[in-house]
Amino acid sequence: MIAQPELKTDLVQTQLVKPCLVGSDLNDELNRESSRELNKELKKSTQSKFSKAAARYNTHANVQKHAASDLLALIKPGFNKNKLCVDLGAGPLVNTHTLQSMFANVIAMDLSLNMLQSSDLTTSKICADMDNLPLQVNSVDVIYSNFAVQWSANFSALMQSLYNILKPGGQAYISTVVEGSLNEIKTAFAALDSNSHINTFNGEMYINQSVQNVGFTINSAQKRIYTDEYITPLKAIASIKAIGATTQNHTNMRQGLLTKSALQKVCSAYPLINNKACVSYHVVLLSLEKH
C-alpha cells in the first residue's frame, strides 16, 4: 500500500517583525496588505458560493463534464497502478471515481467542505485551499484539476506549488478557463452599465509562460471552446450561479441585486444564436511533466 503524503505541520506561519518603512516602501507594503486582505475575502466568497451550489452542481455542470472527459483522455495509459493522484478542486467528486479506476490512490481536495461531503464515494478527502496546499514536496505522482485553477489568487505561484509537490517525472493534467469566456453575458450586461459583471480570466499566453517558468515541460496544450445552450437569456445567466461561478475576482464588479427592469434590459440585449442563449467557455487543456 502506498503511503499517503504527509500533511504539513507548519501551516500556521509565525508573524515576522517588520522593519520601519518610509515613503514608497510604505505605500508598497500597504498595497500588499490590501491585496492580501482582498484575497482573503475572495476566498471566503468562493468557498461560500461553491458550498451553496454543491447540491445542484452536477445537474448544471455540463461544460465542466465535457472538459473533464477531454482532460481524462490526455492521461497516459498504463503504469498508473502504483501511483498517487490528487484531484485538485474535486468539487462533488464527479471525476474522482474515474480517477480511482486509473490510479492506486486518489485524494479529493477542495476548498468547499460541502462539495466534498455531497458525495459518499469512499476516498481520502482534504478540505484545503489550493493556494496553501498541505502536501509535502515530491510526494505526489499525478495532479488532475478540471475547471478549478482559475480561482487561484496567484496562478504562477500555484504552478510553482504543484511543481514542488510532484515527484520527479510526475504529471499534471489541468484544464483552466481563460479570457474570452462568458462573452455573451458580458455583451448583455454592457447594455446596462460600464461595470464588469463577469470574472476576469488569465490569457492563454500567460498560462503557457507561467507553467514553463516554474520548470514544467508542456507535453500538450489545447485550446477548446465549450458552449452551453439555453432557451432563454435568463436561464443562461442563472446557469452561472447554479455552478457557484459568480465569485467576484476583481474589484470592478457591480454590487447588489438587479432590479426587474434592469434584468429585462440585460435579457433583451443578450445575443442569440438560432433563438438560443449560449454561454461559452474558452478553456486550455494542459498535459505537463516535471523532470
Side-chain angles (χ1 to χ4, degrees):
M1 181 176 178
I2 298 176
Q4 299 287 341
E6 298 178 34
L7 296 182
K8 288 182 178 177
T9 58
D10 58 347
L11 293 182
V12 180
Q13 299 179 353
T14 56
Q15 183 68 40
L16 300 178
V17 178
K18 299 178 181 178
C20 180
L21 302 174
V22 296
S24 61
D25 288 338
L26 179 57
N27 288 332
D28 290 343
E29 180 63 20
L30 289 174
N31 286 335
R32 284 192 290 269
E33 287 289 347
S34 176
S35 178
R36 282 192 287 268
E37 288 303 313
L38 176 61
N39 285 336
K40 288 180 182 178
E41 291 305 312
L42 291 177
K43 288 291 181 182
K44 290 179 182 178
S45 177
T46 301
Q47 185 179 43
S48 173
K49 290 181 178 180
F50 278 104
S51 292
K52 291 177 181 178
R56 59 183 185 273
Y57 184 89
N58 284 339
T59 303
H60 296 275
N62 302 315
V63 166
Q64 289 82 342
K65 291 174 185 176
H66 286 298
S69 179
D70 290 341
L71 191 61
L72 287 166
L74 295 179
I75 297 178
K76 294 181 179 180
F79 306 106
N80 295 327
K81 291 183 178 180
N82 297 320
K83 291 184 177 180
L84 170 67
C85 174
V86 172
D87 186 359
L88 183 64
L93 280 63
V94 291
N95 303 309
T96 308
H97 178 70
T98 303
L99 292 170
Q100 283 183 321
S101 69
M102 305 172 75
F103 301 100
N105 289 297
V106 179
I107 296 175
M109 184 178 296
D110 200 90
L111 180 65
S112 168
L113 183 60
N114 282 11
M115 282 284 192
L116 294 173
Q117 291 178 334
S118 67
S119 171
D120 57 3
L121 186 66
T122 302
T123 192
S124 299
K125 302 175 183 179
I126 300 177
C127 184
D129 182 358
M130 70 175 71
D131 291 322
N132 191 11
L133 292 171
L135 299 171
Q136 297 285 8
V137 299
N138 301 325
S139 64
V140 174
D141 297 293
V142 176
I143 295 166
Y144 175 92
S145 183
N146 182 57
F147 258 70
V149 299
Q150 65 268 10
W151 303 117
S152 169
N154 188 326
F155 180 82
S156 294
L158 172 60
M159 291 302 104
Q160 184 65 69
S161 295
L162 298 186
Y163 186 88
N164 291 342
I165 67 173
L166 280 172
K167 298 176 183 177
Q171 310 284 324
Y173 301 93
I174 297 169
S175 72
T176 180
V177 181
V178 297
E179 61 184 6
S181 298
L182 310 181
N183 267 345
E184 301 87 357
I185 293 177
K186 181 179 180 180
T187 298
F189 274 96
L192 182 64
D193 55 43
S194 60
N195 290 318
S196 178
H197 293 263
I198 64 170
N199 289 312
T200 58
F201 299 105
N202 292 318
E204 185 177 359
M205 183 176 295
Y206 173 77
I207 297 292
N208 290 337
Q209 288 177 341
S210 295
V211 297
Q212 290 181 82
N213 287 344
V214 302
F216 275 119
T217 296
I218 301 178
N219 292 328
S220 175
Q222 305 174 16
K223 172 74 173 294
R224 302 283 178 89
I225 299 177
Y226 300 97
T227 304
D228 251 349
E229 291 184 346
Y230 297 89
I231 58 174
T232 66
L234 186 60
K235 288 186 178 297
I237 295 169
S239 71
I240 306 301
K241 182 177 181 180
I243 60 172
T246 55
T247 296
Q248 300 181 2
N249 66 355
H250 58 90
T251 57
N252 190 33
M253 297 285 282
R254 184 188 185 278
Q255 304 293 324
L257 299 174
L258 293 178
T259 63
K260 184 177 180 180
S261 61
L263 186 56
Q264 289 175 339
K265 187 174 183 179
V266 171
C267 289
S268 296
Y270 204 102
L272 301 179
I273 300 176
N274 297 325
N275 293 320
K276 295 290 182 65
C278 296
V279 179
S280 61
Y281 294 82
H282 293 231
V283 179
V284 170
L285 307 175
L286 297 168
S287 172
L288 310 174
E289 187 170 353
K290 174 179 177 177
H291 289 289

